[in-house]
Amino acid sequence: MSNPNMVGLIRNEVMKIASKKRLAVVGVILVILVSMFTYAQYREIQEKIEKQGTLDWRVELQQEIVDRQNRLASSGIQDEFRQFLEFDLKQKQYYLDNDINPNYPGAPTFIRIFLSQGVTLVLPLFIIIIMADIVSGEYNDGTIKTLLSRPVKRWRILMAKWLTVLLYTSMVMAATVIVCYGISGIVLGYDGWTAPILTGFQASASGEFATEYIHTLPMWKYLLMSAGLAWVVTAVVGTISLMISVLVKNTATGIGAMMAVLIAGTLLSSIGSSWTSSKYLVNLNFDLINYLEGQAPPIEGMSLPFSLTVLGVWTAGCLAVAFWNFTQKDMY
Amino acid sequence: MSVKPTVQLENVTKIIGKKTIINNISFDIYPGEVFGFLGPNGAGKTTTIRMLVGLIKPTSGKIHICCFDVRKQFVQAMQRLGSIVENPELYKYLSGRENLQMFARMLPDVDEERIQEVIDLVDLTARIDDQVRTYSLGMRQRLGIAQALLGRPDVLILDEPTNGLDPMGIKDLRLFIRKLVDETGLSVLVSSHILSEIELLADRVAIMTHGKIVKVGSVSDLVGALSAGVDWRVSDSFRALAILQESPHVQAAELYDDHTVHTLMDESKTSILNEALMKAGIEVWTIERKVQTLEDLFISLTGGDHIV
């Protein structure tokens, strides 16, 4: 391959990031978070054993179902929340009827929950920590001048940076799975890869609970799908931060803007479904694993293909803006 | 001359908003010469250099490096160019060697051997594996030059290379550039706002102010045209003026006051003229060579913009 080639350019970017030890910071945060969650799980299990004398998931699930029923019976709950509760109730009932434990104890289940909870906030946060200054850092250090007076076209330099974002997205995902498995297994045990799990719950057109698409998957397959969806979301967030990094020369401002995007997404999706056109916002489509679990979507009419399309369009738009700006701009 | 210029600027203009930053400038640089780029801060030197290295697009005009258009044949043009724009901007959190390895990957045909070669050339071998953040300004400058030389360029651009260097460092840099040009025959463009530096270093000079080039010429021509000012302090300047004006060695003589005559003359004939004045009974009190430099030229060209 000719030199300068893309692999060499990516090696350069990896070298810059690696020497800033950002991945190590993310690793430390990950270990601390996972350790805390594992300990919390451990305490919960201990408490249940104390209360019930035994650890029977059927009893537990039955209790949760009763709890949902009680809440539904009480007056004054919002329509959206009622819908969510009904859906959740039916799902739990379905697990119970089919004698499948939705939370089979073990490290794989811990990974499943961590991915599901982390996909909208923690995993994107990691990629932002690593990637926020990938372009703006070069402005701040002045190295952009040296970088862009090389005999390499500007679009290739940005392409290398974007591919590096995707590479680090993969590394964040791998690190998350490995750390979750390693640490939570100490308490929860390391088996459960083949435990069955149900997927394919969905609301029918009329919003009713539909069972026709429900099927069981072995845990490992389910986790692979979860991790894949989480990868997509993290990569999209990485791409948006790349664009912001190109547009905003100050790294701190860039991180702030990205955090605002993330937090606004979480808030909006919990606040309300009345503003239906908000489903076209990129940050309302981050909870892809939701579709796998079969929870009711934040806004009616959203589905996995819909969300993937929205994410795809936004990603393409961000890349177009980033590349156009980066290749056309005068560098002072 | 059939030698092709390595750097060609043709009618280059840069307008930002409504302000004309660079106003229709043109110059050529030839192989084996050190070209000085002189002007006060804010004259447009750095903007011009940024256009040369492709960081800024000119509003109009053409820039060629070794006959390659910087806009249309960016990659070929940059392969023949090494540069430091403003400060040597390198990755402080990497070692000197890592910096060079990284830039080498962005150039064709630069191997470890070449990297070691430039490290030896700038004499950084002892500290090359330390982080750049621990380097002194002089060492960063040297690493910057190593980086610029990696790809065996035909043109080397150094923007204010002596900024922050001590007198010893400036002298070393001057000798280094001279040696480099003599050995490899490349062209060097050095910008500076310090006149004495350019005078010592450059073969030719372009003087720039307010975005315009006011003069391009060889240093010896520019200095030669100026250096023959001699002031005479005498007892009777009126009579002295007449004698001096008659002499074939004096190009111009001018009465300044009752006791002073300013002349432009051949310095080597000073004693002959002194004798002629004494014979005529005029007391000569002092003969002073008026130290004229590029600065005088600069002031006369720009109408009073001072440079250091």
Side-chain angles (χ1 to χ4, degrees):
Chain A
M1 225 180 325
S2 73
N3 200 10
N5 60 45
M6 197 47 88
V7 176
L9 295 181
I10 295 174
R11 267 184 74 184
N12 284 354
E13 295 305 325
V14 170
M15 194 163 154
K16 290 177 211 168
I17 294 168
S19 62
K20 286 185 201 160
K21 309 202 168 52
R22 292 284 170 75
L23 199 62
V25 171
V26 165
V28 169
I29 295 176
L30 192 59
V31 167
I32 292 172
L33 278 183
V34 170
S35 304
M36 279 164 57
F37 294 158
T38 304
Y39 184 68
Q41 282 264 303
Y42 170 74
R43 292 300 299 251
E44 207 181 314
I45 293 170
Q46 293 300 313
E47 202 177 333
K48 273 177 197 159
I49 291 176
E50 261 174 47
K51 267 191 193 164
Q52 301 164 1
T54 164
L55 195 63
D56 188 350
W57 63 269
R58 289 178 193 82
V59 177
E60 196 186 324
L61 201 56
Q62 188 61 57
Q63 272 175 354
E64 279 174 13
I65 290 170
V66 171
D67 169 65
R68 300 291 186 277
Q69 281 165 341
N70 289 342
R71 283 161 80 177
L72 277 168
S74 71
S75 58
I77 55 169
Q78 280 187 316
D79 275 358
E80 293 100 43
F81 193 55
R82 174 183 299 278
Q83 206 178 358
F84 168 79
L85 281 178
E86 278 174 358
F87 210 93
D88 193 48
L89 170 70
K90 284 175 180 157
Q91 207 179 37
K92 288 194 159 56
Q93 192 63 52
Y94 195 89
Y95 268 104
L96 197 60
D97 294 348
N98 287 274
D99 200 28
I100 292 172
N101 182 355
N103 292 309
Y104 186 91
T109 297
F110 185 91
I111 300 173
R112 178 176 72 77
I113 295 168
F114 191 87
L115 286 178
S116 154
Q117 298 298 315
V119 69
T120 55
L121 215 52
V122 176
L123 294 175
L125 181 70
F126 288 161
I127 202 74
I128 291 171
I129 293 175
I130 300 173
M131 288 298 163
D133 72 339
I134 188 162
V135 180
S136 58
E138 307 252 12
Y139 292 127
N140 290 348
D141 295 349
T143 47
I144 192 84
K145 286 179 284 181
T146 320
L147 187 70
L148 295 186
S149 52
R150 305 291 102 198
V152 181
K153 288 206 167 113
R154 286 189 189 179
W155 72 264
R156 299 189 73 206
I157 290 176
L158 193 62
M159 180 61 86
K161 285 184 183 288
W162 186 54
L163 292 175
T164 309
V165 169
L166 299 187
L167 183 71
Y168 270 87
T169 301
S170 311
M171 280 161 77
V172 164
M173 293 307 305
T176 304
V177 170
I178 290 167
V179 169
C180 280
Y181 186 66
I183 293 180
S184 71
I186 299 170
V187 173
L188 304 169
Y190 289 99
D191 63 336
W193 287 108
T194 52
I197 185 149
L198 292 170
T199 184
F201 298 98
Q202 54 183 209
S204 67
S206 60
E208 288 300 301
F209 184 73
T211 53
E212 50 207 294
Y213 297 107
I214 295 176
H215 53 277
T216 56
L217 279 178
M219 181 66 88
W220 63 268
K221 219 169 182 175
Y222 184 94
L223 282 182
L224 217 57
M225 291 161 79
S226 289
L229 292 174
W231 187 92
V232 169
V233 173
T234 313
V236 170
V237 172
T239 307
I240 301 173
S241 355
L242 179 76
M243 179 193 70
I244 290 185
S245 199
V246 170
L247 298 179
V248 181
K249 291 191 179 180
N250 185 304
T251 305
T253 314
I255 292 180
M258 275 317 292
M259 292 311 295
V261 168
L262 284 183
I263 292 166
T266 341
L267 284 179
L268 265 177
S269 56
S270 67
I271 285 175
S273 50
S274 306
W275 178 25
T276 48
S277 49
S278 69
K279 65 184 175 189
Y280 297 109
L281 291 176
V282 67
N283 45 10
L284 257 80
N285 288 282
F286 286 159
D287 202 357
L288 293 182
I289 294 180
N290 199 5
Y291 300 117
L292 208 57
E293 289 172 338
Q295 305 281 345
I299 291 165
E300 228 179 287
M302 289 172 73
S303 64
L304 183 59
F306 173 86
S307 285
L308 286 175
T309 310
V310 171
L311 292 181
V313 169
W314 275 87
T315 304
C318 287
L319 283 176
V321 170
F323 272 88
W324 191 83
N325 192 285
F326 194 73
T327 51
Q328 298 302 315
K329 182 153 66 176
D330 279 350
M331 298 292 168
Y332 293 98
Chain B
M1 263 204 301
S2 63
V3 183
K4 282 198 173 150
T6 46
V7 177
Q8 285 174 287
L9 268 84
E10 275 175 76
N11 308 318
V12 173
T13 296
K14 177 70 183 175
I15 299 169
I16 300 173
K18 281 181 181 167
K19 270 192 89 179
T20 306
I21 307 290
I22 303 294
N23 192 350
N24 197 27
I25 64 170
S26 305
F27 61 81
D28 293 339
I29 305 178
Y30 293 92
E33 78 173 345
V34 180
F35 191 84
F37 203 32
L38 183 66
N41 290 325
K45 301 183 304 273
T46 296
T47 307
T48 306
I49 287 176
R50 281 170 193 243
M51 288 195 285
L52 274 171
V53 300
L55 289 173
I56 298 180
K57 270 183 289 190
T59 310
S60 64
K62 285 202 174 111
I63 302 174
H64 287 90
I65 307 285
C66 299
C67 300
F68 291 107
D69 188 307
V70 169
R71 299 294 316 155
K72 290 177 192 138
Q73 295 154 302
F74 179 76
V75 172
Q76 289 96 322
M78 289 308 122
Q79 278 174 2
R80 284 153 186 88
L81 183 98
S83 63
I84 302 179
V85 181
E86 284 176 316
N87 306 309
E89 308 287 11
L90 300 147
Y91 297 95
K92 294 188 183 69
Y93 44 85
L94 299 176
S95 75
R97 189 187 299 277
E98 283 170 329
N99 265 288
L100 293 178
Q101 284 168 339
M102 213 173 63
F103 291 122
R105 281 191 213 111
M106 304 178 83
L107 289 161
D109 307 321
V110 177
D111 50 17
E112 285 294 327
E113 209 174 311
R114 175 63 185 164
I115 293 176
Q116 191 54 51
E117 220 171 280
V118 294
I119 293 170
D120 293 340
L121 195 66
V122 298
D123 198 19
L124 264 179
T125 316
R127 295 284 307 275
I128 197 65
D129 290 309
D130 295 351
Q131 274 197 343
V132 173
R133 69 168 91 249
T134 65
Y135 284 17
S136 70
L137 200 57
M139 292 168 67
R140 280 180 205 186
Q141 196 68 256
R142 266 148 53 201
L143 185 62
I145 292 175
Q147 165 274 124
L149 290 174
L150 260 185
R152 304 177 184 85
D154 295 321
V155 182
L156 179 65
I157 294 181
L158 304 173
D159 190 8
E160 305 269 359
T162 53
N163 262 3
L165 293 187
D166 56 19
M168 196 59 201
I170 293 176
K171 192 182 165 220
D172 287 347
L173 181 74
R174 195 165 65 223
L175 296 175
F176 178 82
I177 292 176
R178 196 31 83 187
K179 188 166 153 243
L180 196 68
V181 170
D182 291 345
E183 281 172 8
T184 62
L186 50 52
S187 312
V188 183
L189 172 70
V190 183
S191 80
S192 180
H193 61 279
I194 301 168
L195 192 105
S196 53
E197 244 173 62
I198 292 286
E199 207 174 338
L200 287 169
L201 184 60
D203 302 312
R204 282 201 307 142
V205 181
I207 299 177
M208 188 169 200
T209 182
H210 299 305
K212 280 188 202 158
I213 288 189
V214 288
K215 185 107 186 170
V216 182
S218 78
V219 171
S220 52
D221 281 357
L222 294 177
V223 174
L226 285 164
S227 62
V230 177
D231 289 358
W232 301 80
R233 290 270 296 159
V234 293
S235 55
D236 184 344
S237 59
F238 292 96
R239 284 178 56 215
L241 179 68
I243 293 166
L244 288 168
Q245 273 174 333
E246 270 168 34
S247 165
H249 307 305
V250 178
Q251 288 102 49
E254 179 190 27
L255 193 70
Y256 183 73
D257 61 26
D258 284 355
H259 297 289
T260 313
V261 180
H262 288 176
T263 60
L264 277 175
M265 54 171 281
D266 186 345
E267 263 184 305
S268 60
K269 302 295 190 296
T270 309
S271 62
I272 298 172
L273 288 167
N274 188 24
E275 208 180 324
L277 290 174
M278 292 199 323
K279 272 185 184 159
I282 301 167
E283 291 170 38
V284 176
W285 298 336
T286 59
I287 304 169
E288 190 182 5
R289 179 175 184 269
K290 205 179 153 204
V291 183
Q292 279 192 301
T293 58
L294 279 177
E295 183 163 17
D296 295 305
L297 177 69
F298 188 85
I299 290 168
S300 66
L301 288 171
T302 63
D305 266 337
H306 276 273
I307 43 175
V308 187

